[in-house]
Amino acid sequence: MASPSPADPSLETEAPHAAVTRERRLNPDLQEQLPKPYLARALAAVDPSHPKGTEGRDPRGMSVLQQHVSFFDRNGDGIVYPWETFKGLRAIGCGYPASFVFSFLINLVMSYPTQPGWIPSPFLSVHVKNIHKGKHGSDSETYDTEGRFDPSKFDAIFSKYGLTHPNALTKDELTSMLKGNRNMYDFLGWIAATGEWMLLYSVAKDKDGLLQQETIRGAFDGSLFERLQHDKKSS
């Protein structure tokens, strides 16, 4: 498939008088690299290197967002309690203090939106089936509002902010992405996004201090957590 002619203004991704569109570029060839990149996938986190998602992974009928969260459902009952979040964080390499603080904050924020009714849970339980209701703003929008995985939004993380390496983010680029994704006055979203991404960076950066594209993709469908847990047990 031939690339669209840049002379066609209806297909341009950069506006001459909007410098930010030149600074944060989109990938015009994504449709050649991945079928229907505009189509959010319900069951698989896909990119050009993984057009069918993580090889050998059984989604078990869950959305990509549900797969991400279900790693922390340690007993598989569909409900995540703070102590399960704590165990999950410890399993992927977080220290005791960070695991304790994050497990409390995550469940505190996510519990009520995911409850099946109007009554809050005194145990701060998070219901996996309703996790899409806990999606916050000021994020990359790779998860859509139903918990599907949007390949075009995922690709934009790197086309916009991966300026040093095309398939990875430095810590400074990660910080730039967090600032660029902020919605006005969405203070809770700013804090949540920063906490999530910095936690990911702390446990999953490589020896060069880079957060690789495959690492981030694995975080979205939860397969990264399983690999980190396996590596921690092996070591």
Side-chain angles (χ1 to χ4, degrees), residues 72 74-75 80-88 103 107 123-124:
F72 299 93
R74 307 303 284 179
N75 62 3
V80 182
Y81 293 97
W83 49 90
E84 291 182 291
T85 305
F86 176 85
K87 290 178 181 178
S103 62
N107 280 69
F123 300 108
L124 300 182

Side-chain angles (χ1 to χ4, degrees), residues 98-119:
S99 297
F100 179 81
V101 172
F102 274 102
S103 62
F104 174 74
L105 292 177
I106 289 169
N107 280 69
L108 178 66
V109 173
M110 305 295 288
S111 178
Y112 187 67
T114 66
Q115 293 305 304
W118 292 100
I119 301 174

Side-chain angles (χ1 to χ4, degrees), residues 109-219:
V109 173
M110 305 295 288
S111 178
Y112 187 67
T114 66
Q115 293 305 304
W118 292 100
I119 301 174
S121 166
F123 300 108
L124 300 182
S125 60
V126 173
H127 290 251
V128 176
K129 68 178 181 179
N130 294 328
I131 194 61
H132 63 283
K133 295 181 180 180
K135 182 180 179 297
H136 59 77
S138 299
D139 63 351
S140 68
E141 298 183 355
T142 300
Y143 293 127
D144 70 7
T145 51
E146 291 74 41
R148 291 179 286 248
F149 181 92
D150 188 328
S152 65
K153 298 292 187 181
F154 178 71
D155 185 79
I157 293 173
F158 305 95
S159 64
K160 287 183 177 182
Y161 301 101
L163 305 180
T164 309
H165 305 273
N167 297 313
L169 297 178
T170 66
K171 189 173 184 179
D172 287 343
E173 290 166 348
L174 178 57
T175 300
S176 294
M177 182 192 72
L178 290 167
K179 291 179 179 178
N181 288 340
R182 287 177 178 174
N183 301 131
M184 187 169 59
Y185 305 130
D186 178 26
F187 303 115
L188 178 59
W190 299 0
I191 295 170
T194 299
E196 291 164 356
W197 281 95
M198 288 305 174
L199 178 61
L200 176 62
Y201 182 83
S202 71
V203 300
K205 64 181 183 296
D206 66 15
K207 60 182 177 61
D208 298 315
L210 299 174
L211 204 52
Q212 296 289 339
Q213 178 172 335
E214 173 57 13
T215 298
I216 297 173
R217 192 192 66 81

Side-chain angles (χ1 to χ4, degrees), residues 8-74:
D8 184 349
S10 69
L11 297 176
E12 286 286 354
T13 61
E14 298 179 21
H17 297 299
V20 70
T21 63
R22 294 195 303 275
E23 296 165 4
R24 304 176 190 169
R25 297 185 176 185
L26 295 176
N27 178 5
D29 301 319
L30 184 59
Q31 189 156 324
E32 298 178 16
Q33 301 164 353
L34 180 71
K36 299 183 179 180
Y38 51 82
L39 183 66
R41 270 60 164 189
L43 300 175
V46 304
D47 67 6
S49 300
H50 305 83
K52 294 186 178 180
T54 302
E55 185 177 354
R57 183 170 180 77
D58 180 7
R60 295 170 290 166
M62 293 189 290
S63 71
V64 178
L65 179 55
Q66 288 174 330
Q67 293 171 51
H68 168 90
V69 174
S70 68
F71 172 81
F72 299 93
D73 178 14
R74 307 303 284 179

